[in-house]
Amino acid sequence: EPEVTQTPSHQVTQMGQEVILRCVPISNHLYFYWYRQILGQKVEFLVSFYNNEISEKSEIFDDQFSVERPDGSNFTLKIRSTKLEDSAMYFCASSANRSQPQHFGDGTRLSIL
Amino acid sequence: AQKVTQAQTEISVVEKEDVTLDCVYETRDTTYYLFWYKQPPSGELVFLIRRNSFDEQNEISGRYSWNFQKSTSSFNFTITASQVVDSAVYFCALSAAINAGNNRKLIWGLGTSLAVNP
């Protein structure tokens, strides 16, 4: 069964450094999402992306965050200058259309030191 | 406002017991979707079910069943004859319309941590 794949599975970064989290959505999916989950807390929406542009972003998704779909297969989340509070599990999801379920990758655990 | 409430933070049962996880939602949308996801200790999010707002039929899948009641804005999840492998955090989520057409972000409950003990 097709899967959403995320790399790396774990990223450790010094505070203030840039980090790029990578996702390969399911190949025929058109809608892409990033969510994050701070340890022990609920999953929070960050951003949604369709037709090469952001559809919606949450208040968490400030100027330090950006997303890109550089080559038609990858979907990346960049954090420009990481903060301690960015430490979380980041999940990428994709769906075939807006009413279909979102399928999630296994997540990237981001640890900011 | 759109909101999902899972009032049960933690549930502990003994294997083979039935267990129901509660989910109550709020939305002003007339069209919406409800989901359950499972997050095992390994951390990934596993899709379990989607239900749209026009379909109030209950659903059964093996030991899992879901009871959707619009009148009480609830979408409860029952595991029958629970097993140790069911131990996980279970999230209920609501898919809300973001804008005129595209994307529906998921709004999540806080999750219910289910421990099934042998």
Side-chain angles (χ1 to χ4, degrees):
Chain A
E1 187 174 315
E3 291 181 342
V4 175
T5 56
Q6 289 186 243
T7 54
S9 56
H10 191 189
Q11 174 81 46
V12 181
T13 301
Q14 291 288 332
M15 187 172 61
Q17 296 295 306
E18 175 183 285
V19 65
I20 297 176
L21 309 183
R22 301 181 193 282
C23 170
V24 179
I26 294 173
S27 63
N28 62 343
H29 285 188
L30 301 176
Y31 296 80
F32 314 112
Y33 307 82
W34 283 100
Y35 293 83
R36 82 169 184 193
Q37 184 183 29
I38 294 172
L39 186 64
Q41 298 187 22
K42 71 175 176 181
V43 181
E44 301 172 289
F45 168 76
L46 291 177
V47 66
S48 57
F49 193 87
Y50 169 74
N51 201 26
N52 286 320
E53 60 183 24
I54 291 174
S55 306
E56 170 86 0
K57 57 186 180 180
S58 72
E59 57 197 27
I60 302 168
F61 195 88
D62 62 23
D63 291 344
Q64 294 300 314
F65 290 86
S66 62
V67 288
E68 236 186 358
R69 190 158 159 77
D71 56 14
S73 63
N74 288 286
F75 179 50
T76 61
L77 174 69
K78 183 195 287 187
I79 309 175
R80 259 178 277 281
S81 178
T82 49
K83 304 187 281 282
L84 292 175
E85 53 264 39
D86 294 327
S87 295
M89 181 77 97
Y90 288 80
F91 289 102
C92 172
S94 70
S95 64
N97 59 53
R98 61 191 182 94
S99 61
Q100 290 298 312
Q102 294 173 26
H103 291 269
F104 285 79
D106 287 347
T108 293
R109 182 168 300 283
L110 178 62
S111 301
I112 307 300
L113 305 179
Chain B
Q2 279 137 345
K3 189 178 173 183
V4 174
T5 300
Q6 294 178 255
Q8 305 148 306
T9 308
E10 293 180 1
I11 299 177
S12 182
V13 300
V14 177
E15 211 170 11
K16 297 184 183 171
E17 281 185 36
D18 298 348
V19 58
T20 295
L21 310 181
D22 297 333
C23 173
V24 173
Y25 64 92
E26 294 174 32
T27 180
R28 290 200 193 108
D29 287 347
T30 53
T31 303
Y32 53 89
Y33 293 86
L34 295 162
F35 301 81
W36 277 94
Y37 284 85
K38 174 181 180 180
Q39 187 174 43
S42 46
E44 70 271 25
L45 289 166
V46 179
F47 166 74
L48 294 178
I49 189 172
R50 177 194 67 158
R51 172 64 73 223
N52 79 50
S53 51
F54 297 110
D55 181 3
E56 284 193 75
Q57 277 196 336
N58 292 332
E59 180 152 341
I60 297 174
S61 175
R63 295 184 297 106
Y64 295 171
S65 62
W66 290 270
N67 182 356
F68 176 32
Q69 294 199 348
K70 268 176 107 166
S71 60
T72 55
S73 297
S74 66
F75 185 43
N76 296 337
F77 173 30
T78 297
I79 302 174
T80 303
S82 58
Q83 299 176 0
V84 172
V85 293
D86 296 327
S87 298
V89 180
Y90 291 86
F91 290 97
C92 180
L94 167 71
S95 175
I98 290 178
N99 51 32
N102 297 323
N103 290 25
R104 286 177 177 254
K105 65 181 178 184
L106 290 175
I107 295 165
W108 299 74
L110 288 172
T112 296
S113 177
L114 173 65
V116 181
N117 302 299

